[in-house]
Amino acid sequence: MVRIDGRGPEDLRPVRIERNYLKYPEGSVLIEVGETRVICTATVEDKVPLWLRGSGQGWITAEYAMLPRATQQRNPRDVTRGKPSGRTVEIQRLVGRALRAVVDLSALGDRTIWIDCDVLQADGGTRTAAVTGAFVALVDALARLFPDQEVLPVYDFLAATSVGLLDGQPLLDLTYAEDARVQVDLNLVMTGRGRIVEIQGTAEGAPFSREEFQAMLAVAEKGLNELLLLQAEVLGENAARVGKWTHEKTRPGNEE
Amino acid sequence: MVRIDGRGPEDLRPVRIERNYLKYPEGSVLIEVGETRVICTATVEDKVPLWLRGSGQGWITAEYAMLPRATQQRNPRDVTRGKPSGRTVEIQRLVGRALRAVVDLSALGDRTIWIDCDVLQADGGTRTAAVTGAFVALVDALARLFPDQEVLPVYDFLAATSVGLLDGQPLLDLTYAEDARVQVDLNLVMTGRGRIVEIQGTAEGAPFSREEFQAMLAVAEKGLNELLLLQAEVLGENAARVGKWTHEKTRPGNEE
Amino acid sequence: MVRIDGRGPEDLRPVRIERNYLKYPEGSVLIEVGETRVICTATVEDKVPLWLRGSGQGWITAEYAMLPRATQQRNPRDVTRGKPSGRTVEIQRLVGRALRAVVDLSALGDRTIWIDCDVLQADGGTRTAAVTGAFVALVDALARLFPDQEVLPVYDFLAATSVGLLDGQPLLDLTYAEDARVQVDLNLVMTGRGRIVEIQGTAEGAPFSREEFQAMLAVAEKGLNELLLLQAEVLGENAARVGKWTHEKTRPGNEE
Amino acid sequence: MVRIDGRGPEDLRPVRIERNYLKYPEGSVLIEVGETRVICTATVEDKVPLWLRGSGQGWITAEYAMLPRATQQRNPRDVTRGKPSGRTVEIQRLVGRALRAVVDLSALGDRTIWIDCDVLQADGGTRTAAVTGAFVALVDALARLFPDQEVLPVYDFLAATSVGLLDGQPLLDLTYAEDARVQVDLNLVMTGRGRIVEIQGTAEGAPFSREEFQAMLAVAEKGLNELLLLQAEVLGENAARVGKWTHEKTRPGNEE
Amino acid sequence: MVRIDGRGPEDLRPVRIERNYLKYPEGSVLIEVGETRVICTATVEDKVPLWLRGSGQGWITAEYAMLPRATQQRNPRDVTRGKPSGRTVEIQRLVGRALRAVVDLSALGDRTIWIDCDVLQADGGTRTAAVTGAFVALVDALARLFPDQEVLPVYDFLAATSVGLLDGQPLLDLTYAEDARVQVDLNLVMTGRGRIVEIQGTAEGAPFSREEFQAMLAVAEKGLNELLLLQAEVLGENAARVGKWTHEKTRPGNEE
Amino acid sequence: MVRIDGRGPEDLRPVRIERNYLKYPEGSVLIEVGETRVICTATVEDKVPLWLRGSGQGWITAEYAMLPRATQQRNPRDVTRGKPSGRTVEIQRLVGRALRAVVDLSALGDRTIWIDCDVLQADGGTRTAAVTGAFVALVDALARLFPDQEVLPVYDFLAATSVGLLDGQPLLDLTYAEDARVQVDLNLVMTGRGRIVEIQGTAEGAPFSREEFQAMLAVAEKGLNELLLLQAEVLGENAARVGKWTHEKTRPGNEE
């Protein structure tokens, strides 16, 4: 089976990650996955949310938005409705949660890292591109925050991708046009060591069998391995500072 | 391993579903899962959202809220903040999506079914209890809407439950106290024929391995089979009208 | 004159008050007045509103809401409009004001008691049921707050009811169907010693004469005496701790 | 007992009503009650609220606001909070309801009369001044709307005042300073024929006895009779067109 | 060229400024420019915005609103939309900025002066009337704040007016009817010494040439000189306390 | 006088305009003015605002936003406050008004052109860059809308720039660091034929003299001429379709 853009079912689109895309943020990347383009920035703020004050623990939070014409039809800005849409809320919670899972928040001290993911162009997979790009921006921000620390408080690499199911066939990294046709949409967020951080599978059309689910999972893992390699390559000298944090020894799942 | 309330790791809490709990809604149940208590109602409205007008297709949408003292600490009402919280948004989108996956919306005509899930008491698992209870309320509302139709436009039964992972051990149907201690939280929405409608697994603490994920999945399925049986029993005469809809023959995944 | 449900013009509907209806709140009741069902909870919070800080005086505030299908037609939630409706605002101000009138706020210290009245089913008289039920929840919360105090800082019992005027005839405790037909709606909040806390009479249709007003007042008092007796009975051992507070001797109207 | 400003307990403050205070509205007055100053305007709009469309009945609705420095301390504007305060909501509902009670809405056709009450200076009694002034603006607007109709669709004159209770003594027409000291606040809205449109008595401090209530009622009536006379005088030629409407013969309470 | 109201092209309408219009504010005026009527008040608050805390500098901020029937058609209140309109925002920013330009904020200490401009009647030129009137209210408030200071921290007088361009002819001080017909609208805020504080020229219809712009500027200056004289006259004894502040010697543009 | 970045006082920063920056919008550019980067898109929508329905006239409206980290400090998104800031409102009104001044709206038919200006990086002059870039995006969108029309309904080219005043010296095209130091900020929007569309001069620090104002004006014109040439060059084949529209002959100021 060949796809509209010539890819095989288990092929990612071309991915490009440009670091230091903007001059002010502590970390910033432009990530392009096919025609999808997302700016991810990481901002270090010297305070924590109210409910963390005094805990000595930091926080990571994410916001997500699309330019009105990132899409084929113009989308009104969230501010016009007065509040973020349900979809926006879901995505920004996902991004924040995923990044927190690989960072030792207690090592941040009384700081919040703000992750901003702004979609310039949306051709499917914006939320997974946001996770993948935001991880790189986050590492750069932490590298700048802890210039003298060889090992950053990041347990592992982190990337995300999506898989769809079309007539029983898993398709990796869906474009917008493909996304509209599949019956199932699976998003997987995975670490460099292959552990799962978040898995979300939704029957857009019809429920799916356990076998179909396992097949999609396997294809997602293949794509994620490529993305994780790319991140390591792009991060250059900072890549070596990731994945070696051992401070919190009792943390389950990091015993390796 | 024995749990605080004496259950084994793969035991559900006692579940009770009371139909026709309120006198005005077309369908209404009180579902109790252990100490968690949720009122689910289904309302039939004779119009559809703007973007469906003229399509001849109906819609199902869900709203979710908690009484301020459903929890140990009082939670401010959503209206006080002026908008629903991110958590509320996530849950109501999940409930709506799940129910739509087992109903033939084209059979509803120009109608919207409003599902309201209001939590009186929250001791863990409110979102899965909401799905399980809402399904029963929905069937009752459809039965009232189509009194002369032996077969309702409902492809299959639908229930949800959650599984956590504690020290590598999957635990079925977490209470609030347990939920705070687990490293992973997996929610599964499944149909009567064992197909997956929605799967969401989140690393609260540390990422989890693929084997741990599979073990949780198996435990969730066991619990769901019990819930699906209970639904069929509770629905009485209406149970036989569910799962036989064949109108939309080409719908993938319903070929059995 | 006999009413649809067989009552005489001066009869209350059957009233039931179930204490400790929920497990988390400091006080909670389910009050049923005919088919009207309201959950009233009382929450003790260890701080006061900004404008009371440092005054040494506590506060009581109330919130009110209806489940969307508490009524025959589904009502959108207040949060959907982004703010409480005018009716909601009016009712929650009434409930808070009424309860404050019988409690010695200076005895509460730097605490706020939050009263939440959530209507499960609305068949007329929800605001007066809310006052009557909330009083019981409040007493229970104070009893828990001051376990060793034989006399609670509550000056007197407090209940509320409504009377309508139909063709010149006062009708006690209106159902929803009756409420739609009457020309006048009178709400009365009264203490155990028969003093008035709040009186609100509104010409729904045509203005009313002073004689009609006095007749309605007399009927309301009769109903309130029954409700006050029921409260005392339901409160059991806590009833004896109410109405004996003498700390604030100079408080006018409590000299008896 | 003599009051700070030299009045006896049953004296109104000096009242002045200036008609046609603004040039654009169909009806507009500046009402001054002592130092309280309120602009009341009546606007005729050629449509009705959604829920009245097609009913052939018109509507009257009211809005109320205070200039930020109408009071001793500056009050933030309602728009700053994003919504009207509870007090604002209560007052505008009262004003609208009161005016509707003396107008034959079916005679308005598909029209809404907007009443705007804007307080320039607040020295107590703004809500009752608003009702009293708005009635005059409303009559002028109707007179302009129906220039050829000798009898306007207004059943009766309408005015409002307040009475407080201080040490058992009823005080008519409270200033702001007095209002802060009384134990009870009673607002009465009455028609030219002495019928009650709205009565609201609230125990600010301690509950009041039935006798105290009756004494306040008598004092309020005295004040209202003076206000109603003043309205008739001020309205000049338009006064004769009020109170003679007989179209809706079956309307209870208008048989005289 | 003679205008509808008989004025020549370079004539102001009659202007009247009444000081101490309200009893509570520290400064308050009613300014009437033709039929345009605006209440301007100045309130002294003993704190500064968050971002100025600890700077030792004060602040001046302005709010602007219109009564709903200040205009020919009723305008919904800003609070109804939940936020101020774009026009409101623009005007209140202009007023605040203009006043700050002539006051030595460091002399205010930790205080904010709130300027409230409320339009009772709008017949063109409300924003410039607001600036002109607010300046007088501000001086009075400062005079009251610094009773013993002969020289107030006000660098200069400040007034504003507008000029339009109709068929190449500049027209001073436009009424609402004129404003709707002109192609260009120029607002000028100027000090007593003839320096420019703010200039805003907008092509309502077609762009304008540089010569036309210069002609409008000249006419505006003429009008402003009259307004500045009137302010000095109206301010009476306080006028002599304005324009002599020399504390901040290095402030550019105040060297004279 | 040489500036930090080596420019002379009357030099623009390097300006780059990239057309067709995004794939979905009808017109889209990335404009870079020094380090300031703004994406401007133009969207054609086939309907007009409510108040224009049936008039046969189209509309142009603009929205403006900054990415949170477009600036040195992270700025909260407008949606977080629930409404656009005053600054945002001012800018988007300016952009819309300016573009409308050079387009024959009656030629658009029942269409709205949405202009979206999103600032990726803000180093001063974002609002004038937005106008300059948006004009190019607008022309491209109209060229696509009217492919067969040699002459587009655009009266003239349109660009904007800013000039500051520092120690009496006008400085063209301020960076953020310069903007913070100047005493006056002048924005000028001008057409290809040198006519003024909008002029806004604000005394940030001290009022300015008429001579200083004229000097700034001259410098602004110089910069605008360069920007207008660049636009013509960048627009390529579409440049020749601008500035020749003669349909509305009577429009003042377009007689040349």
Side-chain angles (χ1 to χ4, degrees), chain C residues 148-207:
Chain C
D148 306 325
Q149 252 175 259
E150 203 160 319
V151 175
L152 298 174
V154 180
Y155 295 116
D156 207 342
F157 286 84
L158 183 87
T161 196
S162 73
V163 177
L165 190 71
L166 184 61
D167 303 334
Q169 162 76 59
L171 295 183
L172 182 62
D173 184 22
L174 303 168
T175 65
Y176 180 76
E178 289 174 334
D179 192 39
R181 293 174 57 217
V182 297
Q183 291 99 37
V184 182
D185 192 5
L186 179 80
N187 290 293
L188 186 65
V189 186
M190 203 176 75
T191 69
R193 293 189 187 88
R195 297 182 80 90
I196 301 171
V197 163
E198 181 110 13
I199 185 164
Q200 293 190 349
T202 300
E204 306 275 333

Side-chain angles (χ1 to χ4, degrees), chain C residues 83-84 86-87 89-90 93 97 101 183 191 195-203 205-210 212-214 217-218 221 251-254, chain D residues 83-84 86-87 89-90 93 97 101 183 191 195-203 205-210 212-214 217-218 221 251-254:
Chain C
K83 59 181 178 187
R87 180 181 172 276
V89 168
E90 250 181 36
R93 283 165 65 88
R97 212 160 49 210
Q183 291 99 37
T191 69
R195 297 182 80 90
I196 301 171
V197 163
E198 181 110 13
I199 185 164
Q200 293 190 349
T202 300
F208 47 100
S209 71
R210 214 164 145 176
E212 288 166 337
F213 176 63
Q214 302 293 355
L217 210 52
E221 281 187 25
R251 191 177 160 85
N254 293 287
Chain D
K83 59 182 179 186
R87 181 182 171 274
V89 167
E90 249 182 38
R93 284 165 65 89
R97 211 160 51 211
Q183 290 98 39
T191 70
R195 298 182 80 91
I196 301 171
V197 163
E198 182 109 13
I199 185 165
Q200 293 191 349
T202 300
F208 46 100
S209 71
R210 214 167 145 174
E212 288 167 337
F213 175 63
Q214 303 293 355
L217 210 54
E221 281 186 26
R251 190 175 161 88
N254 291 287

Side-chain angles (χ1 to χ4, degrees), chain C residues 104-154:
Chain C
D104 183 354
L105 297 175
S106 68
L108 298 183
D110 289 332
R111 292 192 190 88
T112 298
I113 314 284
W114 289 83
I115 301 294
D116 287 289
C117 301
D118 285 88
V119 179
L120 303 187
Q121 198 160 274
D123 188 20
T126 63
R127 82 182 67 189
T128 51
V131 170
T132 305
F135 177 79
V136 175
L138 173 63
V139 169
D140 278 348
L142 293 175
R144 200 160 301 179
L145 179 61
F146 302 118
D148 306 325
Q149 252 175 259
E150 203 160 319
V151 175
L152 298 174
V154 180

Side-chain angles (χ1 to χ4, degrees), chain A residues 11-161:
Chain A
D11 292 348
L12 288 176
R13 289 176 285 181
V15 181
R16 202 173 73 84
I17 300 178
E18 179 179 345
R19 282 163 76 203
N20 302 317
Y21 183 68
L22 298 175
K23 75 169 182 173
Y24 296 121
E26 286 72 51
S28 70
V29 314
L30 172 67
I31 180 167
E32 301 183 356
V33 179
E35 303 243 43
T36 290
R37 287 196 252 165
V38 186
I39 296 178
C40 306
T41 66
T43 297
V44 179
E45 186 190 35
D46 281 335
K47 65 179 181 187
V48 289
L50 203 59
W51 51 273
L52 273 181
R53 301 244 168 103
S55 72
Q57 190 192 311
W59 192 242
I60 300 174
T61 189
E63 297 195 351
Y64 169 98
M66 293 205 296
L67 295 205
R69 269 319 283 282
T71 48
Q72 276 181 299
Q73 306 295 318
R74 185 179 185 275
N75 268 302
R77 294 168 192 273
D78 280 346
V79 70
T80 304
R81 309 167 59 239
K83 59 182 179 186
S85 73
R87 180 182 171 275
T88 295
V89 167
E90 249 182 38
I91 294 176
Q92 50 200 19
R93 283 165 66 88
L94 167 65
V95 175
R97 213 160 49 211
L99 295 172
R100 288 194 298 271
V102 292
V103 173
D104 182 355
L105 297 175
S106 67
L108 298 183
D110 289 332
R111 293 193 189 87
T112 299
I113 315 284
W114 289 83
I115 301 295
D116 286 289
C117 301
D118 285 87
V119 180
L120 303 188
Q121 198 161 272
D123 188 20
T126 64
R127 81 182 67 189
T128 51
V131 170
T132 305
F135 177 78
V136 175
L138 173 64
V139 169
D140 277 349
L142 293 176
R144 199 161 302 180
L145 180 61
F146 302 117
D148 305 325
Q149 251 175 259
E150 202 160 319
V151 174
L152 298 175
V154 180
Y155 296 116
D156 208 342
F157 285 83
L158 184 86
T161 195

